[in-house]
Amino acid sequence: MAHVAPFRALRYDPARVDLSKVVTQPYDKITPEMQNRYYDAEPHNLVRIILGKKQPTDHLEENVYTRAAASFRDWRRQGIFLQDPEQSLYQYVQRFQPPGGGAEMERRGFIGLGKVEDYSAGIVHRHEQTLAKPKADRLELLRATQAHFGQLFMLYSDPAAEIDEALSAVSTTNTENNIDIGDEYGVLHQLRRIADPGLIQFVCNKMRDQKLIIADGHHRYETALNYRNECRARPGTTSSEPAPYEFVMMTFINMDSPGLVILPTHRVVHGLESFSPDNLRDQARSYFSVEEVDPSITANRALGILRAAGKAGTALLGVTADRAFLFDTPRPAAASLLQSLPLRQQSLDVVQLHKCLLEGVLGISEEAIRDQTNVTYIRDAEEALTRVREGAANIAFLINPVRMRQVRDIAFAGEVLPQKSTDFYPKLLSGLTIYALE
């Protein structure tokens, strides 16, 4: 059973800082340019803690992690962060326009603590692979600061939307320290503190029968799991009550909500010295039907072609500096190459792209893909095409997004997709609430 609990969050004091200038996108979405912008925005911007700048003189006693811990400690002492007086849950609403246009959408959820569980318990399920390096980085930060600054994005199923409706029915007449801020992508983020004990108990009880899927935050979840195991192994840590390190901060989103948007993450291939569009076309015909399309295609037109072709099954679009190819209708050779994979994954576009084209045709190894030696992951289709047309890459592969039903089935089956297979939009801001372990 999912164990969800309220907590007394640390939050920025809006009387001391402009909230829109101190919160950030998740650490792994912060580019060097964004990091610089966050640094310049406000001296207390959270980036100084979650993704501080490294210095050439860093060493064991003075480094990015010790500076993060010092900043966190100092800001708490100075009253930059204030702790809420009561155990609470936090309703989190995001209003946004999907990338590429369309009607405004709303995604509702709530922030609380979730008990860290081993995957083998069948309560928390992953859907993507993780890498050792990011987990080592996040573990060092957690050890140093003893706090979680960003929420894990967790999915649960509530077709009747009972939890969302109950939280939304709460009176918002007391607006003290509620948050309404916009981010750099035009998303409006609204936070409402829920302190009513009866409502909190209702939500926690409703969550007890839930199985959870990690939407975003696989590395941070496994970091929390590793830290929990590390703490459990210390002498004298036995207790009848769960310790703070047994929990991690999560935002729980109903996977049955119409406001749940999954974007594709496109693949841009670079650094292949012997790359040839003609060879790609000819060899790919072993696996797919290949149609050459207008090489000057725009990003919007490319995505339109993908959506239309995807209604009938597989659709991949490869664009080079002066050529463009649509790959669809997998051939028997593709099925043969994929037969070692679980059946539910064999029909996924992203899996067919990796196995048939990246590995099978271009000869990029799984290790090179995992380490991003020759493959870069880009959300924006126009940016992907620009890189290719400016000569910075060999080819961009544009894909359709994985559907929520596919993510759910794969996760509950105990399987994992290739990294960067899903991109849930919008992201959850870091710094809205903070869970301090001590």
Side-chain angles (χ1 to χ4, degrees), residues 125-202:
H125 301 260
R126 59 179 180 162
H127 77 274
E128 284 189 348
Q129 298 174 348
T130 57
L131 304 175
K133 187 175 180 180
K135 287 188 288 187
D137 165 60
R138 292 299 97 180
L139 183 57
E140 287 295 333
L141 182 65
L142 180 55
R143 286 170 177 161
T145 61
Q146 294 285 288
H148 297 280
F149 301 93
Q151 315 99 42
L152 305 185
F153 187 162
M154 309 296 284
L155 299 168
Y156 68 97
S157 180
D158 181 14
E162 292 181 272
I163 293 175
D164 281 341
E165 294 300 331
L167 292 174
S168 296
V170 175
S171 171
T172 58
T173 55
N174 179 12
T175 58
E176 182 181 2
N177 287 340
N178 287 340
I179 294 175
D180 289 82
I181 56 175
D183 70 16
E184 57 263 67
Y185 299 109
V187 179
L188 176 64
H189 301 260
Q190 299 178 309
L191 197 74
R192 301 288 182 264
R193 186 165 73 91
I194 307 295
D196 178 77
L199 180 54
I200 290 173
Q201 190 62 48
F202 170 81

Side-chain angles (χ1 to χ4, degrees), residues 252-329:
F252 300 92
I253 304 287
N254 182 8
M255 72 175 77
D256 303 303
S257 166
L260 198 62
V261 174
I262 305 178
L263 301 177
T265 301
H266 309 296
R267 274 63 173 155
V268 175
V269 177
H270 52 84
L272 300 183
E273 295 182 2
S274 59
F275 175 79
S276 163
D278 286 334
N279 289 343
L280 168 69
R281 177 200 59 199
D282 295 343
Q283 294 182 46
R285 282 177 173 154
S286 299
Y287 302 108
F288 301 101
S289 172
V290 182
E291 176 187 352
E292 195 148 359
V293 298
D294 180 5
S296 64
I297 191 169
T298 65
N300 284 339
R301 177 60 181 148
L303 295 177
I305 290 174
L306 276 175
R307 282 193 296 270
K311 292 178 181 178
T314 300
L316 308 168
L317 196 65
V319 181
T320 71
D322 54 6
R323 307 280 288 279
F325 307 97
L326 175 65
F327 307 94
D328 59 13
T329 317

